[in-house]
Amino acid sequence: MRNLEIASIFREIATILDIKGENVFKIRAYERGAQNIEGLSESIEKYASEERLREIPGIGHDLSEKIKEYLATGRIKSYEELKKSIPEGLLDILNIPSVGPKTAKLLYEKLKIKSIEDLEAAIRKNKLAGIFGIKDKTVENILKGIDVLKRGRERMTLAQAMLIADEFVKPLGGLSEVKKISVAGSLRRQKETVGDIDILVISDKPKKIMDTFVKLPLVKDILAEGDTKASVRTKNDIQIDCRVVEQKSYGAALLYFTGSKNFNIKLRQMAIKRGLKINEYGVFENEKFICGKTEEEIFKQLGLSYIEPELREDSGEIELAEAGKLPHLISLNDIRGDLHTHSTWSDGESSIAEMAETAKTLGYSYIAITDHSESLKIAGGLTIADLKKKKREIEKLNTSLKNFRVLYGTEVDIDSKGNIDYKDAVLKEFDIVIAAIHTGFKQSREQLTKRIIKACQNKYVHIIAHPTGKLWGERDAYDIDLEEILKVAHDTNTAMEINAFPNRLDLNDHHCRRAKELGVKLSIGTDSHSITHLEGMKLGISVARRGWLAPSDVINTLPVEELLKTIKK
Ligand code: DGT
Ligand code: CA
Ligand code: CA
């Protein structure tokens, strides 16, 4: 599967075109292409071999030719030429949030800055001061941006980890010598971000597994290679650890390497209290092997009910497992609809009918089409006249759809003072209104908190979308008093969103758990901008499970009539 390689090339092309001041539509086309390819669940090779590339939203003639060229030759000629037309290293600087093409060019021309290291050195030596257009505030923002970028590079998003892990688990799992294979570590715990990927295999022929593992196509370097374990670095600089164990120790190894570290430590202490020893090989009593084949039997031996990997953080789950009182966690099957999606009416790639069709194939019984509101011009916000047409289109579609309903929605902008973009008379026409902040992230904590609280108090706002505004690798959460907001959300019957878009996952797991404690309802929305994003729901479910949520805590597990009743203020 070469989806990620191609998507990253398209992103670079977009950036280079941006530096060169090319047409914005052309730039957007590459960005959109990249985004849609990243969202695919099938391999791009499969699309190509079946001549279906143009079925991918945002992939037209030009982009599909480039994909074919890459798959056939391993390169894209026009991309390589494009890369030569700008100074080397400039692209890296542009990855810093807040540094645009103009600043990057200025830095290169005045100070010969070609890398993030050059830039950091220049800032340390105070060389940026006095350059036209660069203020103290700009330097401060650049430093913040470098920090966000570096943290983003240390850990990948859960979505990236899932895709990359698949590139290893699928081919290894296909070997006849492999009896069982699983991911472990933070990926199995479904953490929002993952440091390195851990893979565990049962086999009697570890050598064969090791040999195959270190030679898989995505591998760039071998970091370590032994008889039963190896570590490699992938072409996109991700570390993968693979271990082979015997069947009788599989459960013990899976438990150990799933972690978390704190969870393991607590478990070991519990074992000691029972006169047992636990390690990655099994549970022992005075050196005598008691069990180790499955996690279930180990938990049982320790007097615990089974603890789902998402809960293994030593934050109270072990005590509850001892008392047999663990919460029943939500799963993807519980979801009946998506409450945050965009269509071609605003900045989406797919029509309402296409979104509804795909939602049906996912087993949903409804989808809310929540396009942007009027003031968000950059994202194609809808005017009042557009809204009327969109509403009619949905009504018409609903008459032809069986056992499925399209909800007429909006993602309305919360302005800098907390006012809602549309008037009440317009708002009350919607089935569902989600409100979000898209501008003015740098306001004070008080201002930002007040804005969201005011939105919660609006009679027509049902959900606050991506409440903290975090974008992994691009932007930190803005500064809000979430505790205060959650209290108001509870009092005003406003749901808080878990935005399932891969680099958002906001609210996060801790926030969800607190929201649940305060009796606040949650909603999971994918923020899909095309049909290929709708499957992102699974990422929102990961957050919800890590946040201890049950189906009853999440409003889009409800049938549509109950949902509409529940959200009413
Ligand atoms: P990551 O990779 O930073 O996202 O987080 P993890 O949890 O995947 O951590 P990693 O890859 O260093 O180790 C995988 C698991 O192995 C970890 O969750 C628990 C176990 N483990 C690693 N080091 C230790 C340790 O020093 N003590 C104990 N008890 N367990 C450890
Ligand atoms: Ca790991
Ligand atoms: Ca590891």
Side-chain angles (χ1 to χ4, degrees), residues 261-516:
K261 193 172 161 183
N262 290 342
F263 177 87
N264 288 350
I265 292 170
K266 185 65 129 330
L267 220 55
R268 202 155 50 214
Q269 289 165 350
M270 289 211 43
I272 291 170
K273 266 197 259 158
R274 293 178 163 247
L276 301 168
K277 192 178 96 184
I278 178 171
N279 59 28
E280 64 262 51
Y281 301 103
V283 180
F284 300 84
E285 190 171 13
N286 302 324
E287 311 301 316
K288 185 174 152 256
F289 178 86
I290 307 267
C291 65
K293 196 172 163 191
T294 67
E295 287 187 331
E296 283 79 0
E297 63 182 24
I298 298 172
F299 279 125
K300 208 165 161 200
Q301 190 66 45
L302 299 176
L304 303 172
S305 54
Y306 181 78
I307 304 175
E308 299 283 355
E310 293 90 336
L311 297 181
R312 300 182 194 170
E313 298 292 343
D314 185 24
S315 59
E317 74 284 0
I318 298 177
E319 291 75 5
L320 289 185
E322 211 171 4
K325 286 190 180 149
L326 281 173
H328 165 63
L329 299 184
I330 187 171
S331 67
L332 190 53
N333 279 335
D334 296 314
I335 295 293
R336 296 191 198 232
D338 198 325
L339 296 182
H340 187 164
T341 73
H342 299 265
S343 73
T344 42
W345 278 104
S346 65
D347 56 350
E349 303 289 333
S350 311
S351 69
I352 297 178
E354 288 167 329
M355 295 295 276
E357 206 45 55
T358 307
K360 270 180 85 166
T361 64
L362 293 175
Y364 295 161
S365 55
Y366 52 88
I367 185 170
I369 307 287
T370 53
D371 286 302
H372 290 290
S373 66
E374 194 162 8
S375 70
L376 214 63
K377 301 243 173 352
I378 185 167
L382 269 72
T383 62
I384 306 297
D386 285 343
L387 283 178
K388 287 200 175 112
K389 286 188 221 155
K390 178 180 161 180
K391 190 169 187 216
R392 269 204 300 276
E393 182 179 321
I394 289 177
E395 283 166 354
K396 199 164 152 232
L397 194 59
N398 275 332
T399 58
S400 67
L401 289 166
K402 288 207 179 68
N403 303 321
F404 190 89
R405 177 145 165 213
V406 178
L407 297 173
Y408 171 52
T410 179
E411 179 183 6
V412 73
D413 195 45
I414 303 172
D415 80 4
S416 61
K417 295 204 168 61
N419 297 314
I420 297 297
D421 199 10
Y422 293 128
K423 292 199 174 67
D424 287 358
V426 177
L427 287 176
K428 73 175 188 211
E429 290 292 311
F430 291 104
D431 296 316
I432 195 156
V433 174
I434 63 183
I437 286 182
H438 295 101
T439 52
F441 305 121
K442 293 199 179 113
Q443 285 183 339
S444 69
R445 182 179 172 91
E446 288 70 31
Q447 281 173 311
L448 281 157
T449 305
K450 251 194 211 152
R451 279 166 80 182
I452 300 182
I453 285 179
K454 197 165 165 193
C456 289
Q457 287 162 340
N458 186 302
K459 183 169 183 297
Y460 299 103
V461 170
H462 303 119
I463 301 170
I464 302 294
H466 40 75
T468 82
K470 176 200 71 176
L471 287 175
W472 185 247
E474 281 176 50
R475 187 170 75 210
D476 282 334
Y478 38 71
D479 191 12
I480 50 171
D481 185 344
L482 191 67
E483 185 71 15
E484 200 52 42
I485 291 169
L486 290 176
K487 282 181 189 147
V488 177
H490 173 262
D491 295 344
T492 55
N493 191 31
T494 311
M496 288 284 139
E497 181 181 77
I498 300 170
N499 189 294
F501 207 76
N503 63 343
R504 286 191 183 268
L505 303 192
D506 151 31
L507 298 179
N508 69 22
D509 47 1
H510 299 291
H511 301 148
C512 286
R513 211 170 148 186
R514 184 64 187 142
K516 180 187 168 107

Side-chain angles (χ1 to χ4, degrees), residues 155-156 184-187 189 194-198 239 241 257-258:
R155 303 184 65 82
M156 67 201 113
S186 50
L187 174 54
R189 302 198 313 280
V194 170
D196 67 12
I197 294 173
D198 304 279
Q239 186 178 324
D241 297 340
F257 292 113
T258 297

